[in-house]
Structures are given as structure tokens and as C-alpha cells.
Amino acid sequence: GRAQMLADWLRAKLLVDTRRPVELRKGVLCRGTFTYREHNTGTEGAEELADCASEKRHDIVLSAAEDLVRRGEQVLVFLPDRVSTVTFSRVLASRVTLPALDLALEELRDQEETHARDALREVLSSSVAFHNADLSPEERDLVERHFRSGGIRALFSTATLAMGMNLPVKNVILDGHRWLYLRRYGRWSLEEITKSEYENMSGRAGRLGLAQDFGRSILVTAS
């Protein structure tokens, strides 16, 4: 955060480049239209995605993920809690007709039985998966590897994949909320994510070496 101070101490010239090697379209999906601004050029545009009649956020998230998967594109969806990642992955797996990820299922059979294994096996049968703190280290590694290779077409995750992971993808869909414990009131509250959290999650999309044209960061809203 204080790069200029370091440059001054080194008696060096500070060079700052905010461009991305691959363009990223960051925008909002509302009533079937993805309105975005490109990160590098600042160009504004709009693209038609699945028009969801419902105004419920989870319905919009699922419709967008389903539309992109049916186009043959890979999707990473960030959700606020572990239960949602499992529920959403099951719903999408029941809607799309993708081939089973046999290699991952075979690996999963050889691993120890866990609380999440049955649900993971169910969704991997449609090349869909989830990633959260309930997975064992071996299960996380399995999901990450097969997502990185392109075998898993849609991945529903909590913020566990937001930072420090090399998991590039064409599209990121964000619910835009997180659970925060309010000590003053002694309860949990669903709050909007911060700008830095948004940038970290969005940054998974359009990474160099995967997407050649552009990536999408899609924040869903009903209004």
C-alpha cells in the first residue's frame, strides 16, 4: 500500500500498471441483462443472459449459472454460506445434462468416508461441485484439481476460494453478501461484501492462460 515510500528509499522510479492481461467485464445482472464496464478500456456494454422471472437472488444466481454452463462456459459462483453451496450445486446438477466426471468419482471412492462425500458424489455425476470448509483436505484438493483442468463445469463456493488460490475461470457469479457476527447484538447478520472482497472474488475471472478474449464478473440483483 505504500509503494512510493519503498521506491523513494531505493531511489527508484515507481511504475504502476493497472491493466489486466485479459479483459474483465465487471457488471450487474438484472432482469436478464448483464450491464458491464470493461476493466482496461472503460467501455460500457450490455449482454443478454438468462432472464429470470423471479426476483429472488438465489433464483437469479442459478439461472445465470445454468445459462452459462449450457453455453459451454465454466462458472465459479460465490455464496455466503456452506449450506447454500451444497443446495445450489444439487439444484444445478438436476437441471443440466452434463456427463459424469468419472475420474473424480473414482478418486472419491478411494478416499475416506466423510460428511460431505455423498453430496459431492451426487453432484459430480453432472460435472458440478461445491467447495467449503466441510470438505476434507483430500476432497478440496480433488475439487480444485478437476475444476482447474476444466472437468468441473460449475463450482459453488464460499469465500474459501476468493484469495490465495490459482483457480482461473471464464465467469464468476457473486451473490454479493456474507455472514458477519455482530458482537454488539450477539447475532449473525447477512451483510454486503466489501469492495476488496468483491475485487478478490472478481479477480478469479479472465485470468491469463485460460480466457483469451475476456472474463465476466457478474453481480446479481433484482433491481
Side-chain angles (χ1 to χ4, degrees):
R2 293 184 285 181
Q4 187 61 56
M5 183 181 293
L6 176 63
D8 294 342
W9 180 68
L10 291 170
R11 296 180 183 177
K13 183 178 181 181
L14 176 64
L15 301 178
V16 179
D17 188 0
T18 59
R19 294 171 300 174
R20 292 174 56 93
V22 177
E23 186 63 84
L24 178 62
R25 294 178 176 180
K26 296 191 285 187
V28 173
L29 172 62
C30 179
R31 298 180 184 135
T33 301
F34 174 50
T35 306
Y36 62 84
R37 177 183 291 119
E38 293 188 344
H39 178 87
N40 288 339
T41 66
T43 302
E44 296 183 357
E47 182 181 359
E48 295 304 311
L49 292 180
D51 189 3
C52 180
S54 173
E55 292 192 355
K56 294 180 180 179
R57 189 179 296 270
H58 62 269
D59 288 335
I60 303 172
V61 168
L62 279 167
S63 293
E66 181 180 356
D67 184 37
L68 291 168
V69 167
R70 289 186 184 280
R71 295 184 185 189
E73 299 184 13
Q74 199 179 22
V75 183
L76 172 61
V77 183
F78 283 109
L79 298 169
D81 55 76
R82 289 174 284 183
V83 173
S84 296
T85 62
V86 179
T87 303
F88 280 46
S89 63
R90 278 176 158 158
V91 172
L92 184 64
S94 68
R95 290 184 182 180
V96 296
T97 53
L98 294 174
L101 197 52
D102 293 331
L103 186 58
L105 288 168
E106 187 176 332
E107 286 185 50
L108 198 61
R109 276 193 290 269
D110 295 334
Q111 295 182 7
E112 291 186 17
E113 188 172 347
T114 67
H115 175 70
R117 191 174 75 164
D118 287 344
L120 197 55
R121 184 164 50 210
E122 176 188 336
V123 296
L124 282 171
S125 296
S126 294
S127 295
V128 177
F130 58 88
H131 192 290
N132 59 44
D134 286 341
L135 298 184
S136 68
E138 293 77 17
E139 288 168 338
R140 290 190 197 187
D141 176 67
L142 181 149
V143 169
E144 291 161 12
R145 280 188 291 104
H146 287 281
F147 184 72
R148 195 178 295 119
S149 70
I152 293 174
R153 305 307 298 163
L155 179 59
F156 295 86
S157 175
T158 56
T160 53
L161 290 181
M163 294 179 287
M165 302 292 296
N166 180 28
L167 288 175
V169 66
K170 173 80 171 182
N171 303 286
V172 168
I173 300 174
L174 300 98
D175 171 273
H177 289 81
R178 60 172 180 151
W179 285 102
L180 184 67
Y181 186 71
L182 304 177
R183 295 187 181 277
R184 180 178 177 183
Y185 302 103
R187 63 178 174 83
W188 289 89
S189 176
L190 197 60
E191 304 287 333
E192 294 181 352
I193 59 175
T194 65
K195 182 183 178 183
S196 61
E197 288 169 331
Y198 167 78
E199 294 291 351
N200 277 318
M201 293 176 182
S202 295
R204 303 298 96 196
R207 301 294 292 273
L208 185 64
L210 177 74
Q212 302 300 322
D213 46 3
F214 60 85
R216 297 184 191 91
S217 165
I218 304 169
L219 185 64
V220 301
T221 180
S223 66

